Amino acid sequence: MENKKTVDNDTLEKLLYLSRLSPESTDLGTLKKQVDDIVGYFDILSKYDDSENPYDAYPSTQAEKLREDQVVAGLDIPDVKKVTENFMDGYFQVPKVLGEGA
């Protein structure tokens, strides 16, 4: 016979409190069955192998491979003026973006 985990009444009352549900507005029998079904889903999920490291799905970065944190000189204003003609008073002139998209 299958040993199915269930939620006791004390835990159910705490769940009601956390979810801000009142016992008067909820059919406790139906709610208890639904919570027991959810707990049963965790039993099903626990049967699957979870020994794989979930972080293997993301690219790893090793700290020793990062570049050094060094301050370098930025561009001087005469050099920036050579990049574009749309530079005046320390600012770049850009197209107007006001309208439907703003």
Side-chain angles (χ1 to χ4, degrees), residues 75-84 87 92:
L75 295 175
D76 291 326
I77 297 299
D79 295 332
V80 174
K81 288 182 179 180
K82 292 177 189 175
V83 173
T84 180
F87 185 79
F92 287 100

mmCIF file of all heavy atoms in Angstrom, residues 75-84 87 92:
data_model
loop_
_atom_site.group_PDB
_atom_site.id
_atom_site.type_symbol
_atom_site.label_atom_id
_atom_site.label_comp_id
_atom_site.label_asym_id
_atom_site.label_seq_id
_atom_site.Cartn_x
_atom_site.Cartn_y
_atom_site.Cartn_z
ATOM 1 N N LEU A 75 38.996 59.560 -23.681
ATOM 2 C CA LEU A 75 39.269 60.368 -24.875
ATOM 3 C C LEU A 75 39.308 61.844 -24.504
ATOM 4 O O LEU A 75 38.506 62.327 -23.693
ATOM 5 C CB LEU A 75 38.185 60.138 -25.927
ATOM 6 C CG LEU A 75 38.102 58.750 -26.528
ATOM 7 C CD1 LEU A 75 36.902 58.653 -27.458
ATOM 8 C CD2 LEU A 75 39.378 58.414 -27.287
ATOM 9 N N ASP A 76 40.222 62.558 -25.114
ATOM 10 C CA ASP A 76 40.264 64.007 -24.939
ATOM 11 C C ASP A 76 39.235 64.629 -25.874
ATOM 12 O O ASP A 76 38.879 64.061 -26.909
ATOM 13 C CB ASP A 76 41.664 64.539 -25.271
ATOM 14 C CG ASP A 76 42.690 64.089 -24.231
ATOM 15 O OD1 ASP A 76 42.315 63.989 -23.055
ATOM 16 O OD2 ASP A 76 43.851 63.841 -24.618
ATOM 17 N N ILE A 77 38.777 65.822 -25.525
ATOM 18 C CA ILE A 77 37.744 66.496 -26.305
ATOM 19 C C ILE A 77 38.155 66.679 -27.768
ATOM 20 O O ILE A 77 37.351 66.418 -28.671
ATOM 21 C CB ILE A 77 37.364 67.848 -25.660
ATOM 22 C CG1 ILE A 77 36.752 67.622 -24.277
ATOM 23 C CG2 ILE A 77 36.391 68.618 -26.547
ATOM 24 C CD1 ILE A 77 35.480 66.801 -24.273
ATOM 25 N N PRO A 78 39.378 67.068 -28.092
ATOM 26 C CA PRO A 78 39.742 67.185 -29.523
ATOM 27 C C PRO A 78 39.618 65.847 -30.267
ATOM 28 O O PRO A 78 39.228 65.825 -31.431
ATOM 29 C CB PRO A 78 41.192 67.677 -29.492
ATOM 30 C CG PRO A 78 41.344 68.332 -28.168
ATOM 31 C CD PRO A 78 40.446 67.592 -27.230
ATOM 32 N N ASP A 79 39.927 64.744 -29.577
ATOM 33 C CA ASP A 79 39.792 63.429 -30.209
ATOM 34 C C ASP A 79 38.330 63.068 -30.439
ATOM 35 O O ASP A 79 37.971 62.450 -31.443
ATOM 36 C CB ASP A 79 40.470 62.355 -29.356
ATOM 37 C CG ASP A 79 41.977 62.545 -29.266
ATOM 38 O OD1 ASP A 79 42.549 63.113 -30.216
ATOM 39 O OD2 ASP A 79 42.563 62.132 -28.254
ATOM 40 N N VAL A 80 37.457 63.451 -29.500
ATOM 41 C CA VAL A 80 36.034 63.164 -29.650
ATOM 42 C C VAL A 80 35.458 63.959 -30.806
ATOM 43 O O VAL A 80 34.627 63.459 -31.570
ATOM 44 C CB VAL A 80 35.271 63.465 -28.327
ATOM 45 C CG1 VAL A 80 33.771 63.311 -28.507
ATOM 46 C CG2 VAL A 80 35.762 62.576 -27.206
ATOM 47 N N LYS A 81 35.919 65.192 -30.969
ATOM 48 C CA LYS A 81 35.421 66.027 -32.073
ATOM 49 C C LYS A 81 35.790 65.439 -33.423
ATOM 50 O O LYS A 81 35.110 65.668 -34.411
ATOM 51 C CB LYS A 81 35.953 67.444 -31.942
ATOM 52 C CG LYS A 81 35.319 68.217 -30.813
ATOM 53 C CD LYS A 81 35.842 69.636 -30.747
ATOM 54 C CE LYS A 81 35.183 70.394 -29.617
ATOM 55 N NZ LYS A 81 35.650 71.772 -29.505
ATOM 56 N N LYS A 82 36.853 64.635 -33.474
ATOM 57 C CA LYS A 82 37.254 64.002 -34.726
ATOM 58 C C LYS A 82 36.331 62.840 -35.088
ATOM 59 O O LYS A 82 36.197 62.484 -36.249
ATOM 60 C CB LYS A 82 38.689 63.476 -34.621
ATOM 61 C CG LYS A 82 39.736 64.551 -34.514
ATOM 62 C CD LYS A 82 41.109 63.920 -34.341
ATOM 63 C CE LYS A 82 42.144 64.968 -34.018
ATOM 64 N NZ LYS A 82 43.463 64.371 -33.725
ATOM 65 N N VAL A 83 35.647 62.271 -34.089
ATOM 66 C CA VAL A 83 34.781 61.113 -34.322
ATOM 67 C C VAL A 83 33.514 61.519 -35.045
ATOM 68 O O VAL A 83 33.030 60.807 -35.925
ATOM 69 C CB VAL A 83 34.448 60.413 -32.976
ATOM 70 C CG1 VAL A 83 33.425 59.314 -33.173
ATOM 71 C CG2 VAL A 83 35.707 59.879 -32.319
ATOM 72 N N THR A 84 32.951 62.663 -34.690
ATOM 73 C CA THR A 84 31.689 63.086 -35.287
ATOM 74 C C THR A 84 31.638 64.611 -35.388
ATOM 75 O O THR A 84 32.279 65.316 -34.611
ATOM 76 C CB THR A 84 30.487 62.575 -34.462
ATOM 77 O OG1 THR A 84 29.283 63.020 -35.075
ATOM 78 C CG2 THR A 84 30.523 63.067 -33.037
ATOM 79 N N PHE A 87 29.119 67.136 -32.351
ATOM 80 C CA PHE A 87 29.574 67.281 -30.971
ATOM 81 C C PHE A 87 29.761 68.756 -30.699
ATOM 82 O O PHE A 87 30.523 69.444 -31.381
ATOM 83 C CB PHE A 87 30.897 66.529 -30.774
ATOM 84 C CG PHE A 87 31.377 66.526 -29.349
ATOM 85 C CD1 PHE A 87 30.833 65.650 -28.433
ATOM 86 C CD2 PHE A 87 32.374 67.394 -28.936
ATOM 87 C CE1 PHE A 87 31.274 65.629 -27.124
ATOM 88 C CE2 PHE A 87 32.812 67.384 -27.630
ATOM 89 C CZ PHE A 87 32.269 66.504 -26.727
ATOM 90 N N PHE A 92 26.898 65.212 -27.447
ATOM 91 C CA PHE A 92 26.633 64.703 -28.790
ATOM 92 C C PHE A 92 25.222 65.098 -29.184
ATOM 93 O O PHE A 92 24.282 64.979 -28.397
ATOM 94 C CB PHE A 92 26.725 63.170 -28.832
ATOM 95 C CG PHE A 92 28.124 62.653 -28.738
ATOM 96 C CD1 PHE A 92 28.621 62.178 -27.537
ATOM 97 C CD2 PHE A 92 28.952 62.649 -29.850
ATOM 98 C CE1 PHE A 92 29.905 61.698 -27.448
ATOM 99 C CE2 PHE A 92 30.252 62.173 -29.767
ATOM 100 C CZ PHE A 92 30.723 61.691 -28.550
#
